[in-house]
Amino acid sequence: MDRHRLFFCLLALSLPTSAMDLKQAWDLLQYQGPIYRAAVHEKEAGEQNRAIGMAGLLPQINASAYDNKVNGTQRQSGVERDLDYDSKGANVRLRQPLFNKQKMAEYRQGKQRADYSIAVFDAKSQDAAVRLAESYFDVLLASETITLAKSKLNAFDEQLASAKRRMELGAGTITDIDESAARHDLAAVELIEAQDNLVNARRKLEEFIGETPESLTTLRPSFDTPPLLPSNLQDWLVKAQTDSPLIHARRHSSDLAEEEVKRAKAGHWPTLDFVAGYTAGQSQSISELNQRNRYGSIGLEVNFPLYSGGGTSALTRQASANSYKALDELDATLQEVITGTTREYRGVESGAQRIRALERAVESNERSLTSTRKGFKEGGTSTNSDVLNAEELLFVARHDLFEAKLRYLMSRLRLASSVGSLGDDDIDHINDYLGPELLVTN
C-alpha cells in the first residue's frame, strides 16, 4: 500500500463520522493543500543550492568524441592529390580549481540560499497555519451569523405579528407595524448577506485544504482564557527577534548579498586550476596510413583578468548597493515583527477582557429584553420601538461575543507565529476549544 493511500486510510479512521475539526483541516492542508505543497517543493528546490555551490569547487570532467569523413584535395609542391579518409578520436579533460575566489563565494552563497529557503518555508508554513485557522473561523463566524440572523428575523416576525394584533385590538398604532416591518426587512437583508459570506468562506477554506466539508466543529460553550506564558511583553519581543523565521530569512538574504559583493570583487583576482587530459585519435591519408595518436597532459593553468570593459567594477558597485538594500530590508522586517508581536500580545491580553465584558453584556441584554417585553405587554412602560431595539442589541452582543472569541484564538496563533514557535501543539491547543458539530451549509 503506497503512503498516499495509507494516509487516507489512517485519516478516515481518525475522522469522526461527520464534522471536521481544525487539526484535521491542518493535516489535509499539509497533505494536499496546493499552497502548502508549493512551499514544500520550493524548499526542496532551494536546498539543492548547497550542492550547486559545492559543485564549483569539485573537479569538472568532460569527455568528447569525434568521427569525421574527410573528402577534398591537397596541393603540395605543385602536385594535387585527392583526400578521402576517416578521422576519429576521443579526449577526456579534468579541471580542478585550486584558487578561485569567485567559486569560494558561490560555495558560501549556495549554503546561504539553502538556509534562506528553509527559513522561508518555516515562515510560509506558519503563515499557512494562521491563514487556515482564519479561513476556518471565517466559516464558523459566517454560519453563526446566519443562525443569529435567522433568530433575529423570527423575533422581528413575531414582533410584527404582535403589532398587528395590537392594532386589531385598538391598542397599537400603524407606526408600530411599519417600524416592525422595516426591522424585519432589514433582518432579511442581513440574512442574505450572511449566506453569501458563508459561500465565500467555504470556498476559501476549500482553496486551502482541497475539499469543502459539510460540517465543522465549532466553539464549545465554556471558553477559558489562560494567561500567557511568558507573561511579559519584553520576553516575547526577545524571542521574536531571535526565532522569527521572517527575520532569519532576511538575515540569510543579507548574508547572501554580502557574499555577492565578495564574488563580484573576486573578478579582479587571478584563478589557478589543475588541468589533466588524455587524447586518443586515428586518421589516415595518402602519405600516412593508419596514423594513431595517444597522449596525455597534466599541468597548472593560471588566468589573469586584465580588463573586462569596467564590467567587474560595475558589478561590484551594484552588489554593494544591493547589500545595503538587504540590510535596510532586515531592519524593516525587524520592526515589522516587533510591531506584529506587540499587536498580537495586546490582542490576547485585551481579547480576554473583551470576552468577559461581552459575556456580561449578553447576560445584561437578555435581562433587558425580558424586562422590555414585559413592560410592553403589561403596563405600557415600554414601546414597540424599545422592544425592537432591545432585540437588536442582544443579537449584536451575541455576534460580537462569538467574533471576540475567534479573534482571541487568532491572536494566540499569530503571536506564536510572530516568535516562530507555531506548530502542531498550538493547533492542538486551539482545537481543544472546538467540539460541537456545526453544519456549514445554507
Side-chain angles (χ1 to χ4, degrees):
M1 181 181 293
D2 60 47
R3 65 183 184 90
H4 292 174
R5 189 172 301 173
L6 177 61
F7 174 85
F8 276 117
C9 289
L10 294 176
L11 185 62
L13 291 174
S14 64
L15 282 173
T17 56
S18 53
M20 176 186 293
D21 61 20
L22 183 61
K23 179 63 169 63
Q24 291 156 0
W26 173 238
D27 290 339
L28 275 176
L29 171 70
Q30 294 178 87
Y31 179 73
Q32 65 184 25
I35 296 176
Y36 185 89
R37 297 307 304 168
V40 171
H41 296 312
E42 181 184 27
K43 184 196 73 166
E44 292 172 347
E47 288 178 321
Q48 296 305 312
N49 283 299
R50 204 182 305 274
I52 293 173
M54 173 65 77
L57 299 178
L58 298 178
Q60 308 295 311
I61 303 175
N62 297 298
S64 62
Y66 61 91
D67 187 351
N68 300 322
K69 179 71 173 179
V70 179
N71 190 290
T73 59
Q74 179 186 56
R75 177 178 292 276
Q76 185 177 4
S77 301
V79 179
E80 186 172 287
R81 297 185 178 89
D82 291 331
L83 298 179
D84 186 8
Y85 65 93
D86 297 326
S87 176
K88 54 187 176 181
N91 63 77
V92 178
R93 187 175 180 84
L94 177 146
R95 179 181 294 273
Q96 170 63 58
L98 299 179
F99 178 80
N100 192 316
K101 291 179 72 68
Q102 281 190 328
K103 296 296 184 184
M104 283 300 300
E106 290 172 0
Y107 163 70
R108 293 189 295 269
Q109 283 182 316
K111 294 198 297 183
Q112 292 293 348
R113 287 191 175 98
D115 293 339
Y116 172 81
S117 67
I118 294 173
V120 168
F121 173 75
D122 289 341
K124 288 187 175 182
S125 176
Q126 298 195 30
D127 181 65
V130 170
R131 292 172 64 192
L132 170 67
E134 189 175 45
S135 178
Y136 185 100
F137 291 157
D138 282 346
V139 176
L140 296 187
L141 180 60
S143 185
E144 180 69 13
T145 303
I146 288 177
T147 301
L148 291 174
K150 288 180 178 179
S151 180
K152 181 197 293 188
L153 189 62
N154 291 334
F156 287 161
D157 189 52
E158 292 177 3
Q159 192 64 23
L160 176 59
S162 176
K164 290 179 178 180
R165 287 194 301 269
R166 289 173 61 84
M167 181 67 176
E168 293 172 355
L169 296 174
T173 65
I174 190 64
T175 302
D176 291 341
I177 295 177
D178 291 341
E179 187 175 21
S180 298
R183 295 292 186 95
H184 179 274
D185 293 339
L186 286 175
V189 173
E190 291 178 2
L191 177 58
I192 294 172
E193 183 179 358
Q195 290 170 336
D196 288 342
N197 290 338
L198 177 59
V199 172
N200 295 332
R202 291 178 70 232
R203 183 62 189 87
K204 187 66 176 179
L205 181 60
E206 180 182 1
E207 180 181 330
F208 278 101
I209 64 176
E211 61 182 69
T212 304
E214 293 297 320
S215 60
L216 301 175
T217 55
T218 189
L219 295 178
R220 299 180 185 275
S222 61
F223 196 92
D224 297 329
T225 54
L228 284 171
L229 293 176
S231 59
N232 187 288
L233 174 59
Q234 191 59 37
D235 293 336
W236 285 95
L237 293 178
V238 170
K239 184 173 177 58
Q241 295 174 68
T242 303
D243 299 333
S244 170
L246 289 176
I247 294 179
H248 285 173
R250 284 300 184 189
R251 282 179 178 150
H252 290 309
S253 180
S254 178
D255 293 342
L256 179 61
E258 185 178 344
E259 287 296 339
E260 182 61 21
V261 175
K262 296 178 182 179
R263 194 189 76 84
K265 288 181 178 179
H268 294 295
W269 284 74
T271 61
L272 177 64
D273 296 334
F274 169 78
V275 181
Y278 180 78
T279 300
Q282 177 179 343
S283 64
Q284 59 182 357
S285 64
I286 294 177
S287 59
E288 297 179 349
L289 297 177
N290 297 323
Q291 178 182 359
R292 289 181 173 83
N293 298 308
R294 302 284 190 278
Y295 60 88
S297 63
I298 186 172
L300 299 175
E301 183 177 301
V302 62
N303 177 46
F304 293 93
L306 299 179
Y307 182 66
S308 60
T312 301
S313 298
L315 287 173
T316 301
R317 292 191 297 271
Q318 183 185 64
S320 181
N322 286 330
S323 179
Y324 288 124
K325 172 176 172 285
L327 285 173
D328 291 336
E329 290 175 340
L330 174 58
D331 290 339
T333 300
L334 182 62
Q335 295 303 318
E336 180 183 341
V337 168
I338 290 175
T339 300
T341 303
T342 303
R343 180 181 62 249
E344 302 309 333
Y345 177 88
R346 290 300 309 155
V348 175
E349 293 290 298
S350 62
Q353 300 171 9
R354 178 179 170 83
I355 290 170
R356 301 285 86 86
L358 283 169
E359 286 175 342
R360 293 191 297 270
V362 169
E363 294 173 357
S364 299
N365 278 282
E366 287 174 345
R367 292 193 300 267
S368 175
L369 177 58
T370 300
S371 300
T372 304
R373 283 175 174 171
K374 184 177 181 180
F376 178 69
K377 291 180 179 179
E378 297 180 0
T381 56
S382 301
T383 65
N384 182 69
S385 180
D386 293 334
V387 176
L388 293 173
N389 289 335
E391 288 173 339
E392 183 77 39
L393 289 174
L394 176 59
F395 292 122
V396 169
R398 287 174 174 170
H399 179 275
D400 289 349
L401 175 59
F402 192 87
E403 185 178 24
K405 290 178 178 179
L406 297 180
R407 288 171 58 184
Y408 171 84
L409 296 180
M410 286 305 307
S411 290
R412 293 198 74 109
L413 284 175
R414 290 195 182 100
L415 181 60
S417 177
S418 293
V419 300
S421 63
L422 178 55
D424 290 344
D425 55 339
D426 297 284
I427 298 294
D428 290 337
H429 176 69
I430 300 301
N431 208 50
D432 290 339
Y433 284 88
L434 308 175
E437 180 180 353
L438 175 69
L439 292 176
V440 289
T441 60
N442 287 339

